[in-house]
Each structure stands twice: as structure tokens, then as C-alpha cells.
Amino acid sequence: VSPLTRALETYDIGVREHVPGHVPVVALPDAAERLYLISDIGRRRSELEKEYGTWCDFEEGFSNGKGEFVEDWWFSLDDERDAHPLRRSSGYSSRSYDEWRPNQQNQKYACPGEPDDVFEAR
């Protein structure tokens, strides 16, 4: 399950009924927890908006400042972004990325984990 989906479902099930209707609810992908594993890859903004858009704003936190919305908001390498221009830039490519997670046993990860500087910047 997407990290943002988990947060939205938690809010919907446990909190939403206690919040007055005039209080705006805004999805902010930058407030997501650190992304470590393939399971932390999210659902596209437009998919989330279809499911939760009646009570949650999916525009403000996903705008790229050019009148477009970032659909793939989770960490990915920039060479993956080349094929998907509405992905967020990470500043890392497969050529510049060094795995930072412990790998004393030469394990490989299914997706690159979000480096400290990218996490701290958002």
C-alpha cells in the first residue's frame, strides 16, 4: 500500500468524522515518511484524487510550479524520470547513486532508497 494511501485511509477511518467540514484537507507528499523499499512507491496523484478527492486537495501539494501536477511523487532516479517528465527530480541518476543502506552481505534492493540529503531537503 502506498505511504500516502496509508495516511489518507487512516485519516478517513479515524479522524475525518471529527474534523469540521470547513477545515481544508491537503495531501502533501513532501510530508511522507522516508522511502526505503519497493513497497514505499506510491500511487499516482490522479489515482489518489479519484478515490479521495471529494474531501482532499490533490493540487496544492503536487504542483510543479508550471501549471502541471507531479503524478509520481515518490523518490526515483532521474534517468527513470526522463521517460516520465511529471516525476519529481531527485538529483540522482543510476550513474551517481551509491546505495546508502547497510549492505554488509552484498544484498541488492529492488529500488533505490531515498538518500539522507533528499529526505532532509523535503
Side-chain angles (χ1 to χ4, degrees), residues 15-104:
V15 179
R16 188 163 72 110
E17 68 182 90
H18 305 288
V19 176
H22 67 278
V23 175
V25 177
V26 180
L28 298 173
D30 285 346
E33 71 265 24
R34 188 165 189 181
L35 308 176
Y36 288 103
L37 303 171
I38 195 77
S39 59
D40 292 333
I41 290 178
R43 289 172 56 202
R44 296 175 63 93
R45 182 203 69 85
S46 54
E47 293 174 26
L48 293 167
E49 185 175 41
K50 283 179 190 171
E51 190 166 345
Y52 303 102
T54 58
W55 52 265
C56 187
D57 174 359
F58 287 91
E59 294 184 1
E60 183 177 328
F62 291 85
S63 175
N64 67 1
K66 301 175 190 172
E68 301 169 317
F69 299 113
V70 174
E71 285 290 327
D72 298 354
W73 52 269
W74 53 89
F75 174 79
S76 62
L77 298 174
D78 282 349
D79 30 11
E80 296 171 13
R81 185 177 173 270
D82 293 341
H84 303 277
L86 293 182
R87 273 195 178 159
R88 172 184 300 176
S89 174
S90 67
Y92 285 87
S93 73
S94 57
R95 293 173 299 283
S96 66
Y97 179 80
D98 287 321
E99 184 58 59
W100 57 270
R101 293 175 282 196
N103 61 359
Q104 292 85 4

